[in-house]
Amino acid sequence: MTVDTLKIAMVDDDPAVLEATTQWLELSGLTVNAWSDPAKALLEIDDQYPGVVVSDIRMPNMDGLSFMDALHKKSPQLPVILLTGQGDIPMAVDAMRRGAWDFIEKPFDPERLEEVIRRALMTRQLQLENAALKEQTEDSLARILMGNSGSIQQLRHHIRRLACTQTHVLIRGETGAGKEVVARCIHEASTRREKPFVAINCGALAKDLIESELFGHQKGAFTGAIEKREGKLELASGGTLFLDEIESMPMDAQIKLLRVIQEQQLERVGSNTLIQVDLRIVAATKVDLLELSAKGAFREDLYYRLAIAELSIPPLRDRKEDIMLLFRHFVRQTCDVHGVELHEPDSAYVRQLLQNVWRGNVRELRNVAMRFALGLYHQDEVAQGEEGGLADLVAAYERILISQSLVRHQGNIQAVMDELKLPRRTLNQKMLRHGLRREAVCSDDGSFS
């Protein structure tokens, strides 16, 4: 969207003025919608009108002030420029107080009018771009951070507010609650979204390597440092650094990180050269860092640096109204990926989903939904809260492929062997392992029983 692609709504009951002004503006490369009746213009100018309005003040039936007030009820930020006769100056000044963008006294210099219009168009362009970005951000957040519960809606609201700032953020949440998802949402909704999002799990790094990972190192800085390497902090400069399980960071690394946050400068391991960085840190923890600080296991000053803004992710058990929404989303996702038929859980299974404590939160729910979609589930699995591994999922998918082939070929073993490119012995073994029988014919809904 550029200024030249926006429009001018020109409203004047004087046909000569309307035609002459429209012609001048169009010769200047601008697009004009012209109306002699403000009531008709009001019907066609909506709250997302891609441009500005230029209106005469003195018009029959509806004057320019009433017209502007009606427009601002639809779109409070819409720039309205008023054309006023000499005797209307006090009225125009009052209009400015009521929200008019500017007023121009008649007879006016067309170049002066064009200059004012172009400045108003620049403002309107920014308004529309910001509105579009906000709508895009809200839609994106709702798609990624799914849920209709009040707590999730509030979390999305806080993310949108934080995205407009450069402040560091501390996220608190249980295992599997979606801390990295929230961190990515903050990054994607911020002005840093074009720069890298760099994630590092502090708990997964060896203590003797964490400083090299974070700060980088020079060639020969230690045994095995055969070449110079940028650290995660350098890579995240201009973007967002996500530090998961921040409570696991060794004390020495905490001290160095605190210095980097304060000075926005770092030194690679084995170097004395200062490197300027532009860091925004989003840290995550599942424990109370202040309690750790009281025990001497975490630096209190680092906590206060990171927790300028603090977000808390509600556990899944506290937002039961989101469980089925998320479950069906993960089921559909799995069915799309693996090309399997979508089916709905029965009422008993839904009851179990809603009654489960979900100690693994959304991560556990996703695993359960995947097993349900792939047919590898039983009625008490939700209550048990088991988490299947890759082998279980692969086995479930294998069973589905064989059963669907048997259904397609009405139990014709040779046709199934040809389709799946399996020798008879292998197919027999797999059917035996999965409890599949060639006699079992399709049920009415087309599924294999």
Side-chain angles (χ1 to χ4, degrees), residues 77-310:
Q77 292 185 311
L78 180 65
V80 178
I81 301 164
L82 296 174
L83 304 178
T84 174
Q86 189 172 7
D88 297 328
I89 297 294
M91 186 188 300
V93 172
D94 179 54
M96 293 287 286
R97 295 195 189 99
R98 289 161 60 175
W101 168 262
D102 205 342
F103 69 89
I104 296 180
E105 186 179 353
K106 293 181 177 179
F108 53 80
D109 178 357
E111 291 183 350
R112 162 70 177 150
L113 175 62
E114 182 188 343
E115 177 190 344
V116 172
I117 286 174
R118 286 191 179 276
R119 283 194 286 107
L121 286 171
M122 290 177 66
T123 296
R124 186 58 173 165
Q125 178 188 3
L126 290 174
Q127 290 174 358
L128 294 172
E129 287 177 350
N130 288 340
L133 179 61
K134 181 180 178 182
E135 183 178 351
Q136 179 184 353
T137 299
E138 289 177 354
D139 288 347
S140 177
L141 274 177
R143 285 195 303 270
I144 298 171
L145 195 60
M146 298 178 67
N148 297 322
S149 61
S151 57
I152 285 297
Q153 291 185 43
Q154 186 178 43
L155 181 58
R156 288 198 295 259
H157 171 71
H158 290 322
I159 289 171
R160 284 191 289 270
R161 293 188 63 184
L162 283 174
C164 301
T165 73
Q166 300 295 321
T167 187
H168 305 305
V169 182
L170 179 65
I171 301 171
R172 290 187 61 179
E174 296 178 359
T175 298
K179 296 185 284 294
E180 183 168 348
V181 171
V182 170
R184 286 186 182 276
C185 286
I186 293 170
H187 174 74
E188 292 298 329
S190 75
T191 56
R192 293 174 172 259
R193 60 188 170 275
E194 300 299 328
K195 296 291 185 178
F197 175 88
V198 178
I200 186 167
N201 188 320
C202 301
L205 290 174
K207 291 186 178 180
D208 56 343
L209 292 179
I210 191 165
E211 289 192 20
S212 173
E213 281 289 318
L214 287 174
F215 306 103
H217 61 253
Q218 292 297 106
K219 180 179 179 180
F222 51 84
T223 303
I226 57 176
E227 59 184 4
K228 180 178 70 175
R229 181 183 177 186
E230 288 184 348
K232 300 296 191 198
L233 276 69
E234 275 186 77
L235 292 173
S237 184
T240 304
L241 177 68
F242 175 57
L243 297 176
D244 198 8
E245 296 188 30
I246 185 72
E247 69 274 8
S248 302
M249 182 177 288
M251 195 63 71
D252 289 347
Q254 290 182 36
I255 295 170
K256 287 189 175 183
L257 178 62
L258 179 62
R259 190 178 303 122
V260 173
I261 293 173
Q262 291 171 336
E263 300 173 6
Q264 293 289 292
Q265 292 179 327
L266 61 81
E267 294 178 7
R268 292 178 185 152
V269 176
S271 171
N272 294 321
T273 303
L274 289 173
I275 298 172
Q276 200 74 28
V277 289
D278 172 19
L279 282 180
R280 182 187 199 178
I281 296 176
V282 178
T285 182
K286 57 180 178 289
V287 301
D288 189 328
L289 293 182
L290 279 179
E291 285 187 8
L292 283 186
S293 298
K295 298 173 183 176
F298 195 85
R299 288 190 65 92
E300 187 175 10
D301 47 3
L302 178 58
Y303 166 78
Y304 285 114
R305 282 285 183 176
L306 295 174
I308 297 172
E310 193 164 352

Side-chain angles (χ1 to χ4, degrees), residues 6-12 25 31-35 37-38 41-42 44-56 59 64 67-72 74-75 77-83 99-104 113 116-117 120-121 124 127:
L6 298 181
K7 300 177 181 180
I8 298 101
M10 187 73 200
V11 184
D12 198 310
L25 294 173
T31 302
V32 181
N33 301 134
W35 288 276
D37 183 351
L42 190 60
E44 297 188 41
I45 300 173
D46 60 20
D47 60 338
Q48 293 299 312
Y49 182 73
V52 302
V53 177
V54 180
S55 174
D56 191 19
M59 294 183 291
F67 178 51
M68 180 186 72
D69 290 342
L71 285 172
H72 282 166
K74 289 184 178 182
S75 179
Q77 292 185 311
L78 180 65
V80 178
I81 301 164
L82 296 174
L83 304 178
W101 168 262
D102 205 342
F103 69 89
I104 296 180
L113 175 62
V116 172
I117 286 174
L121 286 171
R124 186 58 173 165
Q127 290 174 358

